[in-house]
Amino acid sequence: MPIGKTTDTTNTDMHKAFDCINHAILLEKMKFYGVSGKFYNLIKSYLDGRYQKVVLNHNKGIESTWEKIRQGVPQGSSLGPILFLIYINDLPNLASTGTKILLYADDTSIIVTSPNLENFETKIDNIFGDINNWFKANQLILNYNKTNYLQFNMKNSWDYEVKPNYQGNCIKSSSNTKFLVLTIDDSLSWKAHIEQMMLKLNTACFVIRTIQAIMSLETLRMVYFAYIHSIISYGIIFLGNQPYSDKSFKIQKG
């Protein structure tokens, strides 16, 4: 984080994102990105012709009529995540100077940085309003229960709490948040992440101590690299020089 600047990250979550993808909007976006011809028709036929109904009681015949599915992509398929990424690919275009929008599947992180407080609040209000308008236009729903913001607090930053909200929906603040398995805290100390990592390492070390009497050295090495080394090495470029990380290195030596 730049010294003297305030940085905030809002981690959003879409409510049943894969189920809310509108087929008509998705196909229009595919046309915009240059998908046409046989491949376009293949995707269109893949989405078209699907029906569903609700059955409450088979014996009594309580059920709805068959209705055509116009939203959602089949989950568990190879195409599902790809179609979803195409659907939200234009979302980062909302970012302006001092803001970044990072996408990973249905998790969206909005990073706002500003050298002064007044401009910082304005940027947050503007980007959050734009995000909500985009969600509405694309028939997606923001899950406010799983959306939170994290304000990074450094020595040279302002001690001020911003409370983002949209049409009465407030976003709760958090001292740490998870991003790609990494637990990021508001002071970038990595303490929360290392504490979570320690729990996993203790379990892995117990497994190795349990099997060391009946397994060969080669097998134990394989277990070590699979269950201990992989945990420690993930994200080590960020947390390797933190004082809290000493505990994790001592565990693996034991």
Side-chain angles (χ1 to χ4, degrees):
M1 185 179 74
I3 297 177
K5 292 187 177 182
T6 292
T7 300
D8 171 284
T9 176
T10 302
N11 304 286
T12 67
D13 182 84
M14 303 178 195
H15 181 70
K16 296 185 177 181
F18 279 66
D19 296 331
C20 295
I21 293 179
N22 182 276
H23 294 173
I25 296 177
L26 173 61
L27 292 172
E28 285 300 316
K29 290 190 177 188
M30 293 182 66
K31 286 182 180 178
F32 176 80
Y33 292 127
V35 179
S36 60
K38 292 182 179 179
F39 185 71
Y40 174 85
N41 292 330
L42 178 64
I43 299 299
K44 184 177 180 180
S45 66
Y46 177 75
L47 297 172
D48 198 19
R50 296 177 183 270
Y51 293 82
Q52 67 179 7
K53 68 176 180 178
V54 178
V55 178
L56 299 179
N57 192 308
H58 283 284
N59 297 328
K60 295 182 179 181
I62 303 175
E63 59 184 43
S64 68
T65 58
W66 286 101
E67 293 291 339
K68 187 175 182 179
I69 299 176
R70 293 180 172 82
Q71 291 188 221
V73 292
Q75 298 190 42
S77 64
S78 299
L79 272 178
I82 297 175
L83 295 176
F84 176 78
L85 291 176
I86 293 174
Y87 196 82
I88 65 171
N89 187 63
D90 59 319
L91 179 57
N93 294 337
L94 298 177
S96 57
T97 303
T99 64
K100 290 183 179 180
I101 299 178
L102 306 177
L103 302 178
Y104 185 80
D106 59 339
D107 293 326
T108 305
S109 295
I110 309 164
I111 302 175
V112 180
T113 303
S114 177
N116 63 77
L117 185 58
E118 182 178 353
N119 185 256
F120 181 65
E121 291 185 282
T122 301
K123 281 185 177 181
I124 290 179
D125 290 339
N126 290 341
I127 191 64
F128 195 58
D130 291 341
I131 288 288
N132 277 275
N133 290 334
W134 184 93
F135 273 46
K136 184 177 180 180
N138 288 272
Q139 299 186 19
L140 294 175
I141 302 173
L142 185 64
N143 188 348
Y144 285 93
N145 293 327
K146 293 185 178 180
T147 298
N148 61 73
Y149 82 92
L150 179 69
Q151 184 174 334
F152 294 104
N153 298 310
M154 308 300 283
K155 291 182 179 179
N156 295 322
S157 63
W158 303 301
D159 184 16
Y160 183 82
E161 182 180 0
V162 179
K163 297 180 179 179
N165 68 86
Y166 180 77
Q167 295 183 347
N169 295 302
C170 295
I171 298 179
K172 59 185 177 182
S173 62
S174 176
S175 59
N176 61 74
T177 187
K178 277 195 173 184
F179 183 74
L180 301 182
V181 189
L182 292 174
T183 302
I184 305 174
D185 59 88
D186 55 8
S187 61
L188 294 179
S189 68
W190 299 102
K191 182 179 180 181
H193 177 78
I194 293 174
E195 287 176 348
Q196 292 294 319
M197 185 174 66
M198 294 285 290
L199 296 175
K200 297 179 181 179
L201 290 176
N202 284 326
T203 302
C205 287
F206 174 78
V207 171
I208 289 182
R209 286 195 298 267
T210 302
I211 66 173
Q212 64 179 350
I214 58 175
M215 295 293 181
S216 65
L217 181 60
E218 182 180 355
T219 302
L220 289 174
R221 283 175 56 86
M222 292 175 60
V223 174
Y224 165 78
F225 282 105
Y227 291 96
I228 294 183
H229 187 269
S230 60
I231 295 174
I232 292 178
S233 58
Y234 187 86
I236 197 171
I237 190 173
F238 303 113
L239 54 94
N241 64 342
Q242 297 298 322
Y244 303 106
S245 62
D246 290 343
K247 296 179 180 180
S248 62
F249 296 122
K250 289 178 181 178
I251 283 183
Q252 71 161 342
K253 289 181 179 179

